[in-house]
Amino acid sequence: MKQAASAGRSQLSVKISRHLEAEISAGRLKPGDRIPSESQLTARFGVGRNVVREAIARLKSEGLVESHQGLGAFVSNKAHRNSFRIDHDELSHLPKLRQLYELRLDLEVSAAGMAARRRSRSQLAAIQAALSALRDALANGQGMVESSLAFKRAIADATGNEYFKNFVLFLTAHIFEAASFERRIATSGALRETVLTEYESILEAITVGDPDLARRAAWTQIINSAERNGLRGLQGWEVTRMTSLGETYAPPCAPPVTSCSAPSLPLPDGACDCHFHIIGDAAVRPFTPHRSYTPPPASLDDYRKMQGTLGLNRGVIVQPSVYGYDNRVALEALRQGGDNYRGVVVISDQTSEQELREMDALGVRGVRVNLIYKSGVEVSDVTSLARKVAPLGWHLQLLIDISEFADLYDTVANLPVEVVIDHMGHMPASIGVKHPGFRDLLRLARDGKAWVKLSGAYRFTNQPDTPYSDVTPYAKALIKANPDQILWASDWPHVCISVPMPDDTTLLEEFFQWTGHDETIIRKILVDNPARLYGF
């Protein structure tokens, strides 16, 4: 009997919501208009207030209606923008419900990953507040629909992509745990804890800034939600499959150009290449299986041939992501190279003080945090690593996409060590020099809060080949902001790039062009600045 009553109430609420939706679609209720009150609708349709509230909640979930506290419900200003529609009646049929879950699966998983990369402090606070509201609702035996949707809306807002956000909001508004599940959860402490654990896992991953972990947590939550609604084996995927997605594909890289010519300008004595990699024999020093690419061997002897032709005297060996925390190849190259080389390594919280001191004696002067290519390092490691190396006077080198790094200025400016930003911020060249992330980068350089490397132009250009003219405005803006905080690097052997392999002489000539061939600035960037930072 209770089930029949519940079904009848649901049908009546659908009838009321359909009526109001038709009034909005026909323009009889316009954006900003107040819809009829609860008492008016109960009288007109001969139903109770709970039925009317369910109908209004349905319209809210569709974005057609919004509540103004103390004033009632009003037609949303976005009410006429939706052209893609989902029929709620169809969702009572499991095949249709399965299709919607399949669509949500990829979208919400992607949203969680994007939020982990891009969320600002204020957006994170909104996600946390939504989860707190959900926790309170579950603890008090209240309905979880509104607070659950608020949690997902907060995550969607943190993606920073308006189109993506709006579509995710539209989809999540059309599906939530069934009313029968809400009744079960009100009387089941174990079920409440299960749901909270799922949402808390998503929040934790977004908080630490781990996109992979966030995607996995969202994946698990949606799979479990589908199963609670009677949908098992969604898309034929198992939850554990998510842990291995993308971990085994590491395409091979092209080798560097083996010959180059002397540049048009002779380099000043002590000129330094502030970023290059040494790649050993994979049979002797295996790569990590969790990598994004597979590079060919690139020895120190190979590098020195190019270095001598260009007229460079000094260099900084940077640990590539393919070795993870295994720094042996880089350290062996430092031993071989001698006093004219410095190193930047990758460490974990397990690296001992003794190991740090030994690396310091070899010439290591910094720690790299790679948040673009798989390296085992996450956003949450930045502050802890900075504290760990501060006593040695080392710096932190960040490989990030500044267009997706929230609160860049505050995060970097407040670290207790010097900070170096790789590859001009590694943002798409199409974003423009007025992008907030690039403005933050300019401010960091201008205020002396960060060093920036003019390198890797081929990594974010939209040009198919040299010259990378769309990168020039960024490089010139950085030099103008503060030439005392700018470094130059070849990025040899140019691993994992999507454009034709560049000639190293051409890259150096492009640097000359960025400086306007000003020999004072060239000397500052190639000699004076590296000497200050790396202690040559």
Short mmCIF file of all heavy atoms in Angstrom, two decimals, residues 161-186:
data_model
loop_
_atom_site.label_atom_id
_atom_site.label_comp_id
_atom_site.label_asym_id
_atom_site.label_seq_id
_atom_site.Cartn_x
_atom_site.Cartn_y
_atom_site.Cartn_z
N ASN A 161 35.28 25.33 -16.68
CA ASN A 161 34.84 25.26 -18.07
C ASN A 161 33.33 25.44 -18.08
O ASN A 161 32.58 24.56 -17.65
CB ASN A 161 35.22 23.92 -18.68
CG ASN A 161 34.84 23.79 -20.14
OD1 ASN A 161 33.74 24.17 -20.55
ND2 ASN A 161 35.74 23.25 -20.94
N GLU A 162 32.87 26.60 -18.56
CA GLU A 162 31.45 26.94 -18.46
C GLU A 162 30.56 25.96 -19.21
O GLU A 162 29.53 25.53 -18.70
CB GLU A 162 31.22 28.36 -18.97
CG GLU A 162 29.77 28.81 -18.82
CD GLU A 162 29.57 30.25 -19.28
OE1 GLU A 162 30.58 30.92 -19.56
OE2 GLU A 162 28.41 30.70 -19.32
N TYR A 163 30.95 25.57 -20.44
CA TYR A 163 30.12 24.66 -21.22
C TYR A 163 30.08 23.29 -20.57
O TYR A 163 29.02 22.66 -20.44
CB TYR A 163 30.66 24.54 -22.65
CG TYR A 163 30.60 25.83 -23.42
CD1 TYR A 163 31.76 26.49 -23.81
CD2 TYR A 163 29.38 26.41 -23.74
CE1 TYR A 163 31.71 27.69 -24.51
CE2 TYR A 163 29.31 27.60 -24.45
CZ TYR A 163 30.48 28.23 -24.83
OH TYR A 163 30.42 29.40 -25.52
N PHE A 164 31.23 22.81 -20.16
CA PHE A 164 31.30 21.52 -19.50
C PHE A 164 30.48 21.56 -18.22
O PHE A 164 29.71 20.65 -17.93
CB PHE A 164 32.77 21.21 -19.17
CG PHE A 164 33.02 19.78 -18.78
CD1 PHE A 164 33.50 18.88 -19.71
CD2 PHE A 164 32.78 19.35 -17.49
CE1 PHE A 164 33.74 17.56 -19.35
CE2 PHE A 164 33.02 18.04 -17.12
CZ PHE A 164 33.50 17.14 -18.06
N LYS A 165 30.66 22.64 -17.44
CA LYS A 165 29.95 22.78 -16.17
C LYS A 165 28.44 22.74 -16.37
O LYS A 165 27.72 22.01 -15.68
CB LYS A 165 30.35 24.09 -15.49
CG LYS A 165 29.63 24.36 -14.19
CD LYS A 165 29.97 25.72 -13.63
CE LYS A 165 29.31 26.83 -14.44
NZ LYS A 165 29.54 28.16 -13.84
N ASN A 166 27.95 23.52 -17.33
CA ASN A 166 26.50 23.59 -17.53
C ASN A 166 25.91 22.25 -17.95
O ASN A 166 24.81 21.88 -17.53
CB ASN A 166 26.17 24.66 -18.58
CG ASN A 166 26.39 26.06 -18.05
OD1 ASN A 166 26.47 26.28 -16.85
ND2 ASN A 166 26.53 27.02 -18.95
N PHE A 167 26.65 21.51 -18.78
CA PHE A 167 26.13 20.22 -19.22
C PHE A 167 26.15 19.21 -18.08
O PHE A 167 25.22 18.41 -17.92
CB PHE A 167 26.92 19.70 -20.42
CG PHE A 167 26.23 18.57 -21.14
CD1 PHE A 167 24.96 18.76 -21.68
CD2 PHE A 167 26.82 17.34 -21.28
CE1 PHE A 167 24.31 17.74 -22.35
CE2 PHE A 167 26.18 16.30 -21.94
CZ PHE A 167 24.93 16.50 -22.47
N VAL A 168 27.21 19.23 -17.28
CA VAL A 168 27.26 18.33 -16.13
C VAL A 168 26.13 18.66 -15.16
O VAL A 168 25.46 17.76 -14.64
CB VAL A 168 28.62 18.43 -15.42
CG1 VAL A 168 28.57 17.74 -14.06
CG2 VAL A 168 29.71 17.82 -16.28
N LEU A 169 25.90 19.95 -14.92
CA LEU A 169 24.81 20.35 -14.04
C LEU A 169 23.47 19.87 -14.58
O LEU A 169 22.60 19.41 -13.83
CB LEU A 169 24.79 21.87 -13.88
CG LEU A 169 25.99 22.50 -13.16
CD1 LEU A 169 25.78 23.99 -13.04
CD2 LEU A 169 26.19 21.88 -11.80
N PHE A 170 23.30 19.99 -15.87
CA PHE A 170 22.05 19.56 -16.48
C PHE A 170 21.83 18.05 -16.28
O PHE A 170 20.75 17.61 -15.90
CB PHE A 170 22.06 19.89 -17.97
CG PHE A 170 20.85 19.40 -18.71
CD1 PHE A 170 19.63 20.03 -18.57
CD2 PHE A 170 20.93 18.29 -19.55
CE1 PHE A 170 18.50 19.58 -19.24
CE2 PHE A 170 19.82 17.84 -20.23
CZ PHE A 170 18.60 18.48 -20.08
N LEU A 171 22.90 17.27 -16.50
CA LEU A 171 22.76 15.82 -16.38
C LEU A 171 22.54 15.39 -14.93
O LEU A 171 21.67 14.58 -14.64
CB LEU A 171 23.99 15.13 -16.95
CG LEU A 171 24.10 15.10 -18.46
CD1 LEU A 171 25.37 14.38 -18.87
CD2 LEU A 171 22.89 14.41 -19.09
N THR A 172 23.35 15.92 -14.02
CA THR A 172 23.24 15.48 -12.63
C THR A 172 21.90 15.89 -12.04
O THR A 172 21.43 15.27 -11.08
CB THR A 172 24.37 16.05 -11.77
OG1 THR A 172 24.38 17.48 -11.88
CG2 THR A 172 25.71 15.50 -12.19
N ALA A 173 21.30 16.91 -12.59
CA ALA A 173 19.99 17.34 -12.09
C ALA A 173 18.91 16.32 -12.41
O ALA A 173 17.83 16.35 -11.82
CB ALA A 173 19.62 18.69 -12.68
N HIS A 174 19.19 15.42 -13.34
CA HIS A 174 18.15 14.49 -13.79
C HIS A 174 18.27 13.10 -13.18
O HIS A 174 17.51 12.22 -13.55
CB HIS A 174 18.20 14.37 -15.32
CG HIS A 174 17.64 15.57 -16.01
ND1 HIS A 174 16.29 15.75 -16.21
CD2 HIS A 174 18.24 16.66 -16.52
CE1 HIS A 174 16.09 16.90 -16.84
NE2 HIS A 174 17.26 17.47 -17.03
N ILE A 175 19.23 12.93 -12.29
CA ILE A 175 19.34 11.59 -11.73
C ILE A 175 19.90 11.66 -10.32
O ILE A 175 20.84 12.39 -10.05
CB ILE A 175 20.25 10.70 -12.61
CG1 ILE A 175 20.29 9.28 -12.07
CG2 ILE A 175 21.65 11.24 -12.73
CD1 ILE A 175 20.88 8.29 -13.04
N PHE A 176 19.26 10.99 -9.41
CA PHE A 176 19.75 10.89 -8.05
C PHE A 176 19.19 9.59 -7.46
O PHE A 176 18.35 8.92 -8.09
CB PHE A 176 19.35 12.09 -7.20
CG PHE A 176 17.95 12.58 -7.43
CD1 PHE A 176 16.86 11.91 -6.90
CD2 PHE A 176 17.74 13.72 -8.19
CE1 PHE A 176 15.59 12.37 -7.12
CE2 PHE A 176 16.45 14.18 -8.41
CZ PHE A 176 15.37 13.50 -7.87
N GLU A 177 19.68 9.24 -6.29
CA GLU A 177 19.21 8.00 -5.69
C GLU A 177 17.68 8.04 -5.54
O GLU A 177 17.09 9.06 -5.18
CB GLU A 177 19.86 7.81 -4.31
CG GLU A 177 21.37 7.86 -4.33
CD GLU A 177 22.00 6.59 -4.90
OE1 GLU A 177 21.27 5.72 -5.38
OE2 GLU A 177 23.23 6.49 -4.88
N ALA A 178 17.04 6.93 -5.80
CA ALA A 178 15.57 6.86 -5.80
C ALA A 178 15.00 7.16 -4.43
O ALA A 178 15.67 7.05 -3.41
CB ALA A 178 15.12 5.47 -6.26
N ALA A 179 13.71 7.54 -4.40
CA ALA A 179 13.06 7.86 -3.13
C ALA A 179 13.07 6.66 -2.18
O ALA A 179 13.22 6.81 -0.97
CB ALA A 179 11.62 8.31 -3.38
N SER A 180 12.94 5.46 -2.73
CA SER A 180 12.99 4.27 -1.89
C SER A 180 14.35 4.15 -1.22
O SER A 180 14.46 3.71 -0.07
CB SER A 180 12.70 3.02 -2.72
OG SER A 180 13.67 2.88 -3.75
N PHE A 181 15.39 4.53 -1.95
CA PHE A 181 16.74 4.48 -1.37
C PHE A 181 16.86 5.51 -0.25
O PHE A 181 17.50 5.26 0.77
CB PHE A 181 17.78 4.73 -2.45
CG PHE A 181 19.19 4.82 -1.91
CD1 PHE A 181 19.81 3.69 -1.38
CD2 PHE A 181 19.88 6.01 -1.94
CE1 PHE A 181 21.10 3.76 -0.88
CE2 PHE A 181 21.17 6.08 -1.43
CZ PHE A 181 21.78 4.95 -0.91
N GLU A 182 16.26 6.68 -0.45
CA GLU A 182 16.29 7.69 0.61
C GLU A 182 15.64 7.16 1.88
O GLU A 182 16.13 7.40 2.98
CB GLU A 182 15.55 8.96 0.16
CG GLU A 182 16.36 9.83 -0.78
CD GLU A 182 15.75 11.20 -0.92
OE1 GLU A 182 15.19 11.70 0.07
OE2 GLU A 182 15.82 11.77 -2.01
N ARG A 183 14.54 6.43 1.75
CA ARG A 183 13.88 5.88 2.93
C ARG A 183 14.77 4.83 3.60
O ARG A 183 14.85 4.74 4.83
CB ARG A 183 12.53 5.29 2.55
CG ARG A 183 11.48 6.35 2.21
CD ARG A 183 10.10 5.75 2.21
NE ARG A 183 9.94 4.73 1.17
CZ ARG A 183 9.60 5.00 -0.08
NH1 ARG A 183 9.41 6.26 -0.46
NH2 ARG A 183 9.46 4.02 -0.97
N ARG A 184 15.46 4.03 2.77
CA ARG A 184 16.34 3.02 3.32
C ARG A 184 17.52 3.66 4.04
O ARG A 184 17.94 3.20 5.10
CB ARG A 184 16.85 2.10 2.21
CG ARG A 184 15.83 1.07 1.77
CD ARG A 184 16.47 0.07 0.83
NE ARG A 184 16.71 0.62 -0.49
CZ ARG A 184 17.89 0.61 -1.09
NH1 ARG A 184 18.94 0.11 -0.49
NH2 ARG A 184 18.03 1.12 -2.30
N ILE A 185 18.06 4.72 3.45
CA ILE A 185 19.25 5.33 4.03
C ILE A 185 18.94 6.02 5.36
O ILE A 185 19.79 6.13 6.24
CB ILE A 185 19.89 6.32 3.05
CG1 ILE A 185 21.37 6.49 3.36
CG2 ILE A 185 19.21 7.67 3.05
CD1 ILE A 185 22.12 7.27 2.30
N ALA A 186 17.68 6.47 5.51
CA ALA A 186 17.29 7.13 6.76
C ALA A 186 17.30 6.17 7.94
O ALA A 186 17.45 6.58 9.09
CB ALA A 186 15.90 7.75 6.61
#
